[in-house]
Amino acid sequence: MASLLLLLLLLPLLLLPLRIWSRLRWLAADLAFTMRALRCKRALRARALAAAAADPEGPEGGCSLAWRLAQLARQRPAHTFLIHGAQRFSYAEAERHSNRAARAFLRARGWDGGLGGGGTGGAGEGERAAHCARDQAAGSGAARAVREGDGAAPLAPGATVALLLPACPEFLWLWFGLAKAGLRTAFVPTALRRGPLQHCLRSCGARALVLAPEFLESLEPDLPALRAMGLHLWTVGSDTRPAGISDFLAEASAEVDGPVPGYLSAPQNMTDTCLYIFTSGTTGLPKAARISHLKILQCQAFYQLCGAHQEDVIYLALPLYHMSGSLLGIVGCLGIGATVVLKSKFSAGQFWEDCQQHRVTVFQYIGELCRYLVNQPPNKAERGHKVRLVVGSGLRPDTWERFVRRFGPLQVLETYGLTEGNVATFNYTGQQGAVGRASWLYKHVFPFSLIRYDVTTGEPVRNTQGHCVATSPGEPGLLVAPVSQQSPFLGYAGGPELARGKLLKHVFQPGDVFFNTGDLLVCDNQGFLRFHDRTGDTFRWKGENVATTEVAEALEALDFLQEVNVYGVTVPGHEGRAGMAALALRPPHSLDLVQLYAHVSENLPPYARPRFLRLQTCPSTKLRQFP
């Protein structure tokens, strides 16, 4: 009787179409991830509310970076936060280093409003505003004294300080210190020089630049222009410096390491800009994407969403000027209170020995790094490691399969996201080649849609009512996400024209607004998302986005070239696309490869330099390898 009753209960399920059955197979994983995401959201909201109610004189009344680091320094003071080479730093040490940096920046700001804070009790918005007003008034007077004393340009409250540093501990102390001092940070790609560097500094309104001493030689031709911009220039260390450049570390070491008042960094609104990260411009030079306090807070949940915990050791060999390295890697590590092994450069030959030495359990990758590893000869250290989870983006299915077969058992968690975007996807099931799931549960927490896109016109397809059309399973579609107070799009520093095309209106209903990722994805019958292609004039190479227009404009400056067309081409055995430049010579000139190479090396970062040239003036097309 019981068996018959069970059969009757299961009969409706047996009659479901096969398509529905294939989706139900992943229901448990979808439900588990959704519950984890909801728990993360509740925890972050509780943290934000606690910070808002905290004593404004104390460190836990500041921005999310300030109070999270102060919280960890109190809760896990001796736990290792950072390993860099032979250096190890606990959370308490990270707090002290960043406090010294904050005080040095505040001194450059001309602020002398009682560093060291104390205070008791909580504070409302009115009290916080009063603190800030009093602080700005005191700072303006002291700033004049700084200006009159040593000639250094003072930093106004909320000013932007650019960091041109490799992945190193000093990058973190300065970033955290700037956040605590209520100053904005701009992460400048370390390969930029000359025009592109100056453009980035101008576009974000930088008032100061901190650079690594190893970059001084290559930056020497830029120094007159940087001084002319009125920038306060610092290095991190170095006994020999050009005139007018100060040693920031020396200034910071002279400061005490006590906490600074939280009200200095507490945002008036969570959508206020606190950071700039540069992305490739589809119409030319890089654009400074605005990063809000809200996004910093949300990124604290990244590793928790991935299933990592506070006893994990995370291996990070990605540039910190990218969102993946700084916001996901570092801020994500702070979110769970774990340990990060930070590498200035990735070494495939050293990777597994590092993992063994530091007992690494989590590896954050881009696809290119995994390809380097599977192409390495066998190594004793690759056996018996503790790595259980690898997290990242851009892993091709063939490399994925080889990586797991050779180095497993381990979990691969492929993700998708954009620096300025308001949507992210997680492939929490480990399905090879997928970047995420499109289950109704996931979209309830992180809403997005795939809409039909006309590649010939470069516009979404709209129906007779003027609304966009959702794609069918297996059909490539443009990934879009609704813009809301919880998922805003802040755009870029500069004019509103920089964000043209990034927002779509009247997508499904009159008046709605969606963020346009510019990427085409495919959702299969089982609800898995796979990356298909990128729209617009960009391609990805060596983990960097390359804007074809920026490369073309640089080449067109050569007088022997009449027309230039730049595009990406696939290269067997390599991730992404390499740059191809199709050139038409200006009669009666001939191709000067020496001048071209020197010009490109001077004006483009290494990842943007074309790897191939295609001469359009020859009777038959020729391909030449670019050095």
Side-chain angles (χ1 to χ4, degrees):
M1 185 66 182
S3 300
L4 181 60
L5 181 60
L6 180 62
L7 182 60
L8 290 173
L9 290 173
L10 292 177
L11 187 59
L13 292 177
L14 296 173
L15 297 176
L16 288 175
L18 184 61
R19 176 175 57 85
I20 303 298
W21 265 110
S22 64
R23 287 177 178 263
L24 287 176
R25 172 187 174 189
W26 306 103
L27 179 61
D30 293 336
L31 185 60
F33 185 86
T34 301
M35 296 303 296
R36 185 189 301 165
L38 291 174
R39 286 195 298 270
C40 284
K41 284 195 170 187
R42 284 196 299 270
L44 291 180
R45 178 173 173 78
R47 288 182 187 177
L49 291 174
D55 176 10
E57 293 285 351
E60 295 190 22
C63 68
S64 60
L65 272 181
W67 55 249
R68 182 55 180 163
L69 190 56
Q71 186 181 59
L72 289 167
R74 188 185 72 250
Q75 295 175 349
R76 321 190 77 202
H79 188 80
T80 300
F81 162 54
L82 177 68
I83 299 173
H84 181 76
Q87 298 176 291
R88 301 176 75 93
F89 302 90
S90 67
Y91 274 105
E93 290 170 322
E95 169 77 347
R96 292 195 292 270
H97 280 294
S98 60
N99 285 341
R100 288 194 183 97
R103 290 170 177 274
F105 283 122
L106 286 168
R107 195 170 297 280
R109 213 185 91 177
W111 187 86
D112 59 356
L115 290 174
T120 58
E125 290 300 319
E127 188 174 344
R128 289 175 186 272
H131 275 295
C132 293
R134 184 188 66 208
D135 174 30
Q136 291 185 17
S140 62
R144 285 193 294 272
V146 172
R147 187 186 297 113
E148 293 164 0
D150 61 9
L155 301 177
T160 298
V161 177
L163 301 183
L164 187 63
L165 301 172
C168 60
E170 291 75 19
F171 187 112
L172 302 185
W173 313 150
L174 269 62
W175 171 23
F176 298 163
L178 285 165
K180 292 179 176 186
L183 298 168
R184 296 177 179 179
T185 311
F187 295 163
V188 181
T190 55
L192 297 186
R193 299 292 185 272
R194 315 302 180 259
L197 170 62
Q198 295 166 34
H199 161 82
C200 289
L201 295 173
R202 288 192 182 97
S203 67
C204 67
R207 303 307 306 152
L209 172 65
V210 187
L211 52 94
E214 59 264 35
F215 297 156
L216 277 172
E217 183 178 355
S218 63
L219 283 167
E220 187 173 354
D222 291 305
L223 292 180
L226 299 180
R227 292 190 180 101
M229 293 170 63
L231 296 176
H232 192 145
L233 300 176
W234 281 293
T235 64
V236 287
S238 179
D239 295 329
T240 58
R241 301 180 305 278
I245 299 181
S246 306
D247 181 356
F248 183 84
L249 293 187
E251 295 180 16
S253 64
E255 302 289 345
V256 296
D257 60 10
V260 299
Y263 68 82
L264 290 168
S265 63
Q268 294 185 357
N269 191 300
M270 288 299 287
T271 58
D272 289 346
T273 301
C274 63
L275 173 67
Y276 295 106
I277 297 181
F278 290 91
T279 66
S280 64
T282 56
T283 57
L285 293 165
K287 297 187 291 189
R290 296 180 181 273
I291 306 300
S292 67
H293 289 275
L294 176 62
K295 189 152 193 167
I296 296 286
L297 179 65
Q298 291 170 337
C299 287
Q300 289 188 23
F302 175 72
Y303 267 115
Q304 188 175 349
L305 286 171
C306 294
H309 50 74
Q310 64 180 10
E311 298 307 320
D312 274 317
V313 178
I314 301 166
Y315 194 94
L316 183 65
L318 303 178
L320 294 181
Y321 57 79
H322 280 322
M323 174 185 172
S324 55
S326 53
L327 301 192
L328 303 185
I330 297 299
V331 177
C333 177
L334 289 175
I336 57 175
T339 299
V340 61
V341 178
L342 181 65
K343 304 290 289 186
S344 297
K345 291 184 179 180
F346 179 76
S347 170
Q350 186 68 29
F351 175 76
W352 291 112
E353 292 182 11
D354 285 344
C355 290
Q356 294 275 10
Q357 178 184 352
H358 302 299
R359 302 181 69 83
V360 172
T361 56
V362 179
F363 168 43
Q364 187 175 338
Y365 68 84
I366 57 172
E368 193 79 5
L369 302 188
C370 296
R371 187 182 64 81
Y372 292 155
L373 289 172
V374 297
N375 287 338
Q376 284 287 300
N379 185 327
K380 285 184 179 180
E382 71 186 52
R383 295 297 172 192
H385 61 78
K386 303 292 183 182
V387 179
R388 62 176 181 83
L389 174 65
V390 294
V391 180
S393 59
L395 185 57
R396 287 167 45 171
D398 57 337
T399 305
W400 187 324
E401 191 274 333
R402 292 171 61 197
F403 190 91
V404 173
R405 185 177 69 245
R406 177 171 170 180
F407 304 125
L410 45 75
Q411 179 190 358
V412 176
L413 203 159
E414 177 83 357
T415 65
Y416 167 90
L418 297 174
T419 301
E420 68 272 48
N422 65 344
V423 61
T425 65
F426 294 77
N427 178 7
Y428 43 83
T429 67
Q431 183 81 353
Q432 286 189 11
V435 300
R437 293 275 294 153
S439 70
W440 66 270
L441 282 169
Y442 186 93
K443 293 168 78 171
H444 175 73
V445 182
F446 304 108
F448 66 87
S449 298
L450 295 182
I451 58 175
R452 289 181 177 171
Y453 180 82
D454 189 335
V455 294
T456 59
T457 64
E459 296 290 340
V461 174
R462 294 184 181 265
N463 58 24
T464 55
Q465 286 77 39
H467 297 150
C468 297
V469 181
T471 59
S472 302
E475 178 185 5
L478 182 67
L479 178 63
V480 297
V483 174
S484 65
Q485 189 174 1
Q486 294 74 32
S487 302
F489 169 65
L490 299 184
Y492 311 94
E497 69 278 0
L498 295 175
R500 186 176 296 120
K502 284 297 183 181
L503 294 179
L504 300 175
K505 297 182 178 179
H506 317 302
V507 175
F508 295 117
Q509 298 177 20
D512 65 13
V513 180
F514 278 65
F515 172 71
N516 174 11
T517 66
D519 288 331
L520 300 177
L521 276 66
V522 176
C523 180
D524 63 21
N525 286 320
Q526 297 185 60
F528 286 102
L529 293 167
R530 300 176 191 275
F531 185 84
H532 180 72
D533 203 356
R534 177 161 294 178
T535 66
D537 298 323
T538 62
F539 59 88
R540 194 162 180 83
W541 178 249
K542 298 295 182 182
E544 303 277 0
N545 291 328
V546 180
T548 59
T549 48
E550 178 187 358
V551 180
E553 287 173 3
L555 292 173
E556 286 168 351
L558 294 166
D559 58 4
F560 57 80
L561 296 181
Q562 182 168 302
E563 292 184 16
V564 178
N565 184 31
V566 177
Y567 49 96
V569 294
T570 57
V571 179
H574 291 268
E575 309 292 327
R577 294 174 182 265
M580 170 81 80
L583 310 177
L585 296 176
R586 186 186 306 278
H589 296 278
S590 59
L591 180 63
D592 188 337
L593 285 173
V594 174
Q595 184 182 352
L596 188 148
Y597 179 71
H599 178 79
V600 167
S601 300
E602 180 76 9
N603 291 279
L604 291 173
Y607 60 84
R609 298 168 191 168
R611 291 302 188 268
F612 301 99
L613 300 181
R614 184 180 187 125
L615 298 185
Q616 302 286 50
T617 55
C618 300
S620 60
T621 299
K622 295 183 179 180
L623 296 178
R624 297 174 184 258
Q625 177 72 38
F626 194 74

